[in-house]
Amino acid sequence: MSESMDSRKAAILRAVVDEYVKDAEPVGSSHLARISGIQVSSATIRNEMNILEHDGYLTQPHTSAGRIPTDKGYRYYVDTFVSESENSDVMQFRSIEEFFTKAHGALAEMFSDTSRLLTKLTNYAAVVTGPSPESKLIRSIQLISLDTKKVLLLMVDSKGVVEKKTLELSEEVDESALEMASNYLTKKFRGAPLGTLVEMESSGNLRLDNLCMESLGALRELRGEAESVYIEGAANVANAFDAVDTVRRVLATLEQHFLVVSLIRDVLSKGQKVAIGSELGIEPLAECSVVVSPYVVEGERVGSIGLVGPTRMNYPKVLAAVNLVSAGLGKRLSEG
Amino acid sequence: MSESMDSRKAAILRAVVDEYVKDAEPVGSSHLARISGIQVSSATIRNEMNILEHDGYLTQPHTSAGRIPTDKGYRYYVDTFVSESENSDVMQFRSIEEFFTKAHGALAEMFSDTSRLLTKLTNYAAVVTGPSPESKLIRSIQLISLDTKKVLLLMVDSKGVVEKKTLELSEEVDESALEMASNYLTKKFRGAPLGTLVEMESSGNLRLDNLCMESLGALRELRGEAESVYIEGAANVANAFDAVDTVRRVLATLEQHFLVVSLIRDVLSKGQKVAIGSELGIEPLAECSVVVSPYVVEGERVGSIGLVGPTRMNYPKVLAAVNLVSAGLGKRLSEG
DNA sequence: TCTGGCACTCGATAGAATAGAGTGCTAAGG
DNA sequence: CCTTAGCACTCTATTCTATCGAGTGCCAGA
């Protein structure tokens, strides 16, 4: 591979990606010569495309068809031509601001609404993951009796998100004991992150200690439970691909939420915002790309939003949308 | 339409449906003569099929193809041959029992797990709707401070389901006032159905009255909020249809949860368990059938489960699955 | 009333022919 | 040395034709 990407080759690669994203059809040299700003003959373009193909940026579906970008080609395109700051079609995105200035209800709805917004903006499948349970700060703990020996534990965090857990007690308790324990636990742990629940020293009251112990166990379990995920617009993958079995594969994969979550985590942990086709490392998603962005609340990355579409996606637009939405979400949550 | 459905015609119709459901291919007279228990010649079958077609039970994709059932044909099949009580392939369904005897967490997970179970059993898209908010019995009301003038209201119902609502107060309150109001409201309304919240007489304490008033408002809003819906296995529609645009249409429709909910409600309100193709009255779902069943907790229908698949679905199996799962869910929730 | 026989219809499949988009290569011109 | 016009070549997509065969409707005879 003699990597010598001069500016003309780059321009050609860029044009190929743009055209292919637009029309979903292999683009040929003469088409490029006509359409693009490159002022050379189709023959020259042919030569350059040949080299680009040998270097792995382009490929031909078959001899005597035009070229389409490879994953590597998309990667170069994204790294080189898609500026993070530029807001592509800002006009179209006015609705984002509007969306986030409107008041919103519970956090869960906020996330699923955000997911819906993203899917509407981009016409691809959108994913929003909520804050990881460990980082949550406890605001209030309530024990509510469901049965003589069965209690519902409610934990409200600093953002107003409610987590719940039913727990079976070893002995019967009455309402007043529950109320007492609720107050005690809330006072004790208010402001503590769910992730760092220490042991509790004895309060002197055996009955109370017992109840608190069991509640603490439930809280620890809560912490380990799966992150919340909101996936919307999965139906759009049916629009993104013609082959019905590609649609099947991708949809089936998207239904496995944990897979999607770890996918997004992986991409972010590599410091990337975009992962393309084979880079995802998930065979059924070989024809997909993922664009992700963490959102930041009070200086901390608490969750992320992502977008799953075909490798042949409008990267500038999608990146802009994802960035704007993640910024909006972070800001909105910071005000909270 | 000379409706004279003798038993032989019925047997032929039944065989056509069975074969078509199995192979997804138009079934011809000679095939039936060979395969089925009907001991007449293909010519006779042809004559009967001709009549069945004229009566609207069968149709031909084109001249000189076999017959496939119409919606009317499926309807007759379901009404006549699918016995409610019979449990088709009970062997396969052993997992249902197992599923419902295992303990389960919060109700929300219960519903989405149930939805997943149904989709796994049938390979179609499953819908579970939670209890309608109005019928819920209040068990506990908690007010938790989020900000000086912002409060999170939690309502736990008799099943341990938590509903929440943020409310903006007209004046500042302190923690002790919130605690007092929580206790007051809980005592006052424990056991009352959310649907019948009456006005409250004054308690004598102006501060408290005010807070309770605002809380009541929030509770009333809660009541009006959308039913919870859990749809799983939507990806299966990609398996059910070959035409990619049918897949698109159906998926897009399933994403509109309110549509699905009202669809299920409509079917149930007509006292039906099965709605077929055009009977649904939703154009994009013209090639789909829906099988629904309410589930009963303590003698009351509190929600429903449903299944969306192609008109060409295995009705006996699906009906058995839906019935068993709804029974299981109802029983499980009654114990709760 | 049923059934075997038969002519007929029409989609599906396979081949052959054609058109055309696009390529790689070569040779001439700057 | 780089560019470009020209050209032969390749290969898909399209169209057309011919053929096959599954399935039908109808009729005449048991």
Side-chain angles (χ1 to χ4, degrees), chain B residues 136-154:
Chain B
K136 294 184 170 183
L137 302 184
I138 296 171
R139 159 155 282 152
S140 165
I141 295 169
Q142 301 291 332
L143 296 171
I144 289 159
S145 137
L146 291 179
D147 211 335
T148 51
K149 294 179 68 173
K150 216 168 179 181
V151 170
L152 177 71
L153 178 141
L154 293 184

Side-chain angles (χ1 to χ4, degrees), chain B residues 311-331:
Chain B
T311 47
R312 187 186 85 67
M313 72 161 65
N314 187 330
Y315 292 97
K317 181 174 164 185
V318 168
L319 254 163
V322 166
N323 280 336
L324 285 176
V325 170
S326 78
L329 183 60
K331 205 164 133 206

Side-chain angles (χ1 to χ4, degrees), chain A residues 106-218:
Chain A
L107 206 62
E109 275 108 67
M110 183 83 197
F111 288 141
S112 79
D113 286 351
T114 300
S115 192
R116 245 183 281 272
L117 169 70
L118 248 188
T119 218
K120 213 179 83 192
L121 286 171
T122 61
N123 280 314
Y124 300 126
V127 186
V128 176
T129 68
S132 74
E134 291 126 57
S135 67
K136 295 184 169 182
L137 302 183
I138 295 171
R139 160 156 279 152
S140 166
I141 294 169
Q142 299 291 333
L143 297 171
I144 289 159
S145 137
L146 292 179
D147 211 335
T148 51
K149 295 179 68 174
K150 217 168 181 180
V151 171
L152 178 71
L153 178 141
L154 294 184
M155 194 279 290
V156 184
D157 77 4
S158 54
K159 296 282 168 237
V161 186
V162 183
E163 300 286 354
K164 49 189 182 287
K165 185 99 199 164
T166 318
L167 62 161
E168 208 77 46
L169 297 180
S170 53
E171 51 181 348
E172 296 191 8
V173 288
D174 59 16
E175 301 271 334
S176 64
L178 289 178
E179 205 178 309
M180 202 166 143
S182 299
N183 290 337
Y184 184 80
L185 286 168
T186 299
K187 228 162 251 149
K188 191 91 189 156
F189 291 114
R190 160 165 298 179
L194 187 53
T196 63
L197 281 185
V198 285
E199 285 303 316
M200 234 182 51
E201 69 274 26
S202 170
S203 66
N205 179 331
L206 194 69
R207 197 72 175 276
L208 184 60
D209 277 2
N210 205 357
L211 199 48
C212 288
M213 277 278 292
E214 304 195 68
S215 302
L216 265 178

